[in-house]
Amino acid sequence: MMILIFIISIAVLLLCIMKFKLNPFVALLVVAALTGLATGMPLATKTLEDGSQVLGIGTVIQNNFGSTLGSIGMVTGLGVMLGMFMYESGGINNICNAILKVLGEEKSQYAVACAGFITGIPVFGDVVYIMFAPMLRALSKKTGYSMAAYAGAISVATTCTFALVLPTAPPLAVAANMEINVGLFFPYALISAFVGMLVGGIVYGGFINKIDRKNGKTWDFSDLEEEEKEEAGGKSMSGMMALSILLVPIVLILLGSFSSFFLKEGTVLTVLTFLGDKNIAMLLGVLYGAFISRPYLKRSITTIMSEGADAVGSILLITGAGGAYGGILKACGISDVVTSTLMGFHMPMLLMCFVIAQVLRIATGSTTTALTVTSSIVATAVATSGVSPILCAIAVCAGGIGLSLPNDSGFWAINRFFHIDFRDTIVGWSLGGFVAGVTILIFVAILSIFQGVLPGLM
């Protein structure tokens, strides 16, 4: 019954948004409440005889809405401001021109995917989308290359590294739960992530671009055109200077992430860890961006910051509602039922690792949750299966990449920041991620044939 309710809830959500054009924020909250009711969750929080509490539907929605905004709210607002400074100074235009000069229009997606692949290791996915979105929109306007393909390329690449490449949290959790050597896991996971990015981000993105061009699909760049008119005739920031605005928060986050590997506990490490916090790093990036872009701006810094703060409101509402819907799915026990059901099927170990993680990814809307739970579930079975635990761990991670649906806050971040419609988000990101995940599964299945020969797999 739980699985049926889950399928119906996803179907109703898609119907509300695609068919009835209901605002995604409202649709997510309505479907979240209806799902809670259908699964028998209490309307109000109850205290049991043993003193424990069962949270009511309203409380679960409120808590998860708040926790989602708490994790991304500040960095989202700052990221939009950072992008506006880069754009209004003319710097993004010059970065785009440099990329086109080096690679040409038809190969610009390679640079986009590689940038996401590298940046996704130290930087949380939503932050990458926020920072790169203005540049990619300008690039799409210049080249005519599909905006859906660009959005898919960078989001697939970023998620491949987030799900597979140490020292991000999900693969660390998988390695710990499955008791595998991270030193042996790292190179195989890195290569697998690259293969997934290549097929799901670049090759599949090229396919989307061909279809969109054949169909004559266009995107709304009117906001960019108006800003370009205002900038006409004025001096603009160089591409390298604009790139430095992007690099400041990235470098700070990198230092914060990796300094503990090289430094002992002390003042220096504490300071670097503080500066590497994503919120602090983005704040410093915005302050730096405001300072160096000032001579090139046609409007005041205060006006640009205020406009950025206003623009982020609807994005945060939708993202928070996505977190609320995902919270209901977890609280009502749907993810547990789905997992136990899948364990009853007899299938090859690598495939089972992938499928369980993929279904939990769909059900919870969270890569981290899907990978952490799946690795805990399959750890014992993997140990006695005869299949390399390292390859099984990669299969688990691959299952957490694709089929992002509207209960995933990242789905709405990509949808809103890249200014693409619901269909483009599904085609470019949801399906692109699935292609990447399946590609990685096939890749590790091939590696498993040689696991007795390849070093470290057995």
Side-chain angles (χ1 to χ4, degrees), residues 175-243:
N177 290 339
M178 299 181 70
E179 298 181 354
I180 58 178
N181 185 306
V182 293
L184 297 174
F185 176 57
F186 175 77
Y188 288 106
L190 179 64
I191 295 169
S192 298
F194 186 81
V195 170
M197 178 270 289
L198 186 66
V199 177
I202 296 176
V203 176
Y204 176 73
F207 172 71
I208 294 173
N209 178 57
K210 287 181 181 178
I211 292 177
D212 284 345
R213 283 191 170 180
K214 182 179 178 181
N215 295 335
K217 186 171 176 62
T218 58
W219 290 267
D220 181 17
F221 298 118
S222 57
D223 57 322
L224 302 187
E225 290 168 2
E226 291 202 6
E227 288 177 16
E228 283 171 357
K229 287 177 185 176
E230 290 177 7
E231 291 171 4
K235 59 179 181 177
S236 61
M237 179 186 291
S238 70
M240 287 302 297
M241 189 178 290
L243 197 59

Side-chain angles (χ1 to χ4, degrees), residues 266-278:
T267 305
V268 175
L269 179 59
T270 301
V271 171
L272 289 177
T273 302
F274 168 74
L275 294 176
D277 176 85
K278 64 180 180 182

Side-chain angles (χ1 to χ4, degrees), residues 36-226:
L37 286 171
T39 55
M41 289 180 65
L43 296 177
T45 300
K46 293 181 178 179
T47 302
L48 304 180
E49 292 181 1
D50 61 0
S52 61
Q53 286 189 328
V54 179
L55 298 180
I57 294 172
T59 304
V60 172
I61 289 175
Q62 176 180 297
N63 290 350
N64 284 276
F65 184 91
S67 63
T68 300
L69 293 188
S71 65
I72 70 162
M74 189 184 302
V75 76
T76 299
L78 292 170
V80 169
M81 293 178 190
L82 184 145
M84 290 182 70
F85 283 128
M86 291 179 67
Y87 194 89
E88 297 218 6
S89 63
I92 284 181
N93 237 11
N94 291 326
I95 293 175
C96 293
N97 290 334
I99 291 174
L100 296 180
K101 187 176 181 180
V102 174
L103 295 175
E105 292 186 8
E106 294 303 319
K107 292 184 179 179
S108 57
Q109 75 273 24
Y110 287 87
V112 169
C114 289
F117 189 83
I118 295 168
T119 310
I121 298 174
V123 182
F124 183 66
D126 287 0
V127 181
V128 178
Y129 311 147
I130 293 165
M131 291 192 295
F132 280 90
M135 182 175 70
L136 296 189
R137 293 189 68 227
L139 196 59
S140 177
K141 180 176 179 292
K142 243 178 220 306
T143 63
Y145 198 86
S146 168
M147 192 61 237
Y150 274 149
I154 197 163
S155 54
V156 167
T158 302
T159 307
C160 281
T161 53
F162 176 72
L164 278 156
V165 182
L166 303 170
T168 60
L172 281 173
V174 170
N177 290 339
M178 299 181 70
E179 298 181 354
I180 58 178
N181 185 306
V182 293
L184 297 174
F185 176 57
F186 175 77
Y188 288 106
L190 179 64
I191 295 169
S192 298
F194 186 81
V195 170
M197 178 270 289
L198 186 66
V199 177
I202 296 176
V203 176
Y204 176 73
F207 172 71
I208 294 173
N209 178 57
K210 287 181 181 178
I211 292 177
D212 284 345
R213 283 191 170 180
K214 182 179 178 181
N215 295 335
K217 186 171 176 62
T218 58
W219 290 267
D220 181 17
F221 298 118
S222 57
D223 57 322
L224 302 187
E225 290 168 2
E226 291 202 6

Side-chain angles (χ1 to χ4, degrees), residues 42 57 89 91 107 120 139 151-152 166 198 202 237 247 262 298 305 308 310 339 356 369 379 395 416 458:
I57 294 172
S89 63
K107 292 184 179 179
L139 196 59
L166 303 170
L198 186 66
I202 296 176
M237 179 186 291
L247 289 175
F262 308 105
K298 299 293 186 297
M305 286 184 169
D310 292 340
T339 301
I356 292 176
T369 300
R416 296 290 154 169
M458 291 302 293

Side-chain angles (χ1 to χ4, degrees), residues 56 77 79-80 140 151 160 188 260 283 296 312 316-317 349 377 430 437 451:
V80 169
S140 177
C160 281
Y188 288 106
S260 60
L283 175 60
Y296 309 98
V312 83
L316 289 179
L317 284 176
M349 183 53 65
I377 292 169
S430 302
Q451 66 180 31

